Amino acid sequence: MTVSRTALVGAGLVALYTGAIAAADGITKLVAGTYAAPQLFALSSGLVILLSLGAARKNGEGLRVRSRGAMALRSVLTVLAAIGFFQAFRLLPFADVFLFIALVPLFAAALSGPALGEPVRPAVWAALTVGVIGLLCLMPAGRMTFDVGHLWALFAALTGTGSMVAARYIARVERVPLAQVFWPNLAVMLCMGVALPFVWQPMPLADLGWVAAYALFLFAARWLSVEALRLLPAYVATPLMNLQFVWMVAIGWFGFGELPGAATLLGVTLVVGSSMWLVADEAMLPARRTAQA
C-alpha cells in the first residue's frame, strides 16, 4: 500500500469512527442524568470486553502486547477521559463539550513532537488553527460560560488526547488493534466495578438496551480509531474526528428542518476544508520527500 493510499484509507476509517462515536456520545447524554458513571461504564466496558474476546478468537488475534508500559498509560488515561467526558456531558450542553473536543487536534499536535518524534510542520499548524476557528463558528452564540463542567471537559480533552497519542505510539511498534480496545476497557471495568455497588440502580429493559447499543458503538469506534491512528499521525486523525460535529449539523438540517445560519455554514466549510487539507498534505508528503532527496 502506498503512503498516499494509506492516508485515504485512514481518513475513511476516521469518517466511520465519527459516526460511531457520535452515536455513543448521544447515548451518554441520554443516560447521564439517570445513572452514575460507574454503572454505565462498568456494564458497557464488560460488553466491549466480550466483543473484543469474541473478535480476537474469530480472527486468531492475540491480546498480549510488548508495549506494556505504553498500554498501561493508555489504559489509565482512558479511564480518566471516560470519567471526564461523562461529567462534562452530564453538566454541559452538547455544543459546549464539542468546543473542548475541537481543541484535541491542537493538543495532539503539541504532544506529537516530544512523545512520538513527529514534528508538526507550519502548514499543519495553519490547518489546525483554521479547523478550530470553524468549530468556534459552529457554537451557538452567547452560550459559552466557564464553570465546573468546562473544567471536566478540559480534563477529558487532555487525557483523551494522551490516550490517542499512546495508541499511535503502540500502533507504530506492533499491530494489536483488538488488544488496544481490550486492555483499556478492562481497566475501565475494574475501576468502575469498585464503585458499582454504591451507585447501582435497577435498570429497565429499555435502558439495558441503550447500554448494549452504547457498548457496540464504543467497540466499533475504538477499533476504528486505533486502526486510523496506525495509518495517520495523531495531529491528522484528530481533526478528522471533529467531523462528527458536522454530522450533527447535517442531522439537524435534514432530519428536523433546522436550517443552519451563515456562521454555521462557514464553520462547516472551515472544518471540512481544514481536515481535507491535512489529509492531502499527508498524502503528498512522500512525493515532497522524494523531490527533496
Side-chain angles (χ1 to χ4, degrees), residues 210-274:
W210 282 119
V211 172
Y214 172 82
L216 185 61
F217 283 123
L218 188 65
F219 172 77
R222 288 188 171 166
W223 181 86
L224 288 165
S225 68
V226 167
E227 283 292 272
L229 286 164
R230 179 178 65 85
L231 299 172
L232 294 172
Y235 58 79
V236 176
T238 47
L240 286 169
M241 293 175 182
N242 282 336
L243 292 176
Q244 61 187 293
F245 200 99
V246 178
W247 283 35
M248 293 173 62
V249 174
I251 291 171
W253 188 354
F254 293 105
F256 302 99
E258 299 173 350
L259 297 178
T264 299
L265 292 175
L266 175 61
V268 169
T269 301
L270 291 175
V271 170
V272 173
S274 65

Side-chain angles (χ1 to χ4, degrees), residues 48-106:
V48 171
I49 288 170
L50 292 177
L51 290 170
S52 301
L53 289 171
R57 183 175 181 180
K58 182 179 179 181
N59 298 338
E61 181 179 330
L63 296 176
R64 294 184 178 181
V65 295
R66 298 191 305 271
S67 310
R68 295 181 180 178
M71 184 63 78
L73 176 61
R74 170 166 161 74
S75 299
V76 171
L77 290 172
T78 299
V79 172
L80 296 176
I83 295 171
F85 277 121
F86 184 93
Q87 294 293 342
F89 280 121
R90 184 175 67 87
L91 297 171
L92 297 175
F94 244 150
D96 286 16
V97 179
F98 273 96
L99 176 60
F100 287 89
I101 293 175
L103 298 176
V104 167
L106 294 178

Side-chain angles (χ1 to χ4, degrees), residues 152-244:
W152 277 114
L154 178 61
F155 174 78
L158 288 169
T159 52
T161 302
S163 178
M164 290 181 181
V165 171
R168 168 72 173 171
Y169 174 85
I170 296 168
R172 295 197 316 181
V173 176
E174 52 186 325
R175 186 175 182 182
V176 284
L178 288 173
Q180 290 229 54
V181 177
F182 175 81
W183 293 109
N185 277 280
L186 179 62
V188 172
M189 187 186 72
L190 293 176
C191 292
M192 298 299 171
V194 173
L196 186 59
F198 303 101
V199 299
W200 174 263
Q201 296 183 48
M203 302 182 75
L205 188 60
D207 287 351
L208 286 173
W210 282 119
V211 172
Y214 172 82
L216 185 61
F217 283 123
L218 188 65
F219 172 77
R222 288 188 171 166
W223 181 86
L224 288 165
S225 68
V226 167
E227 283 292 272
L229 286 164
R230 179 178 65 85
L231 299 172
L232 294 172
Y235 58 79
V236 176
T238 47
L240 286 169
M241 293 175 182
N242 282 336
L243 292 176
Q244 61 187 293

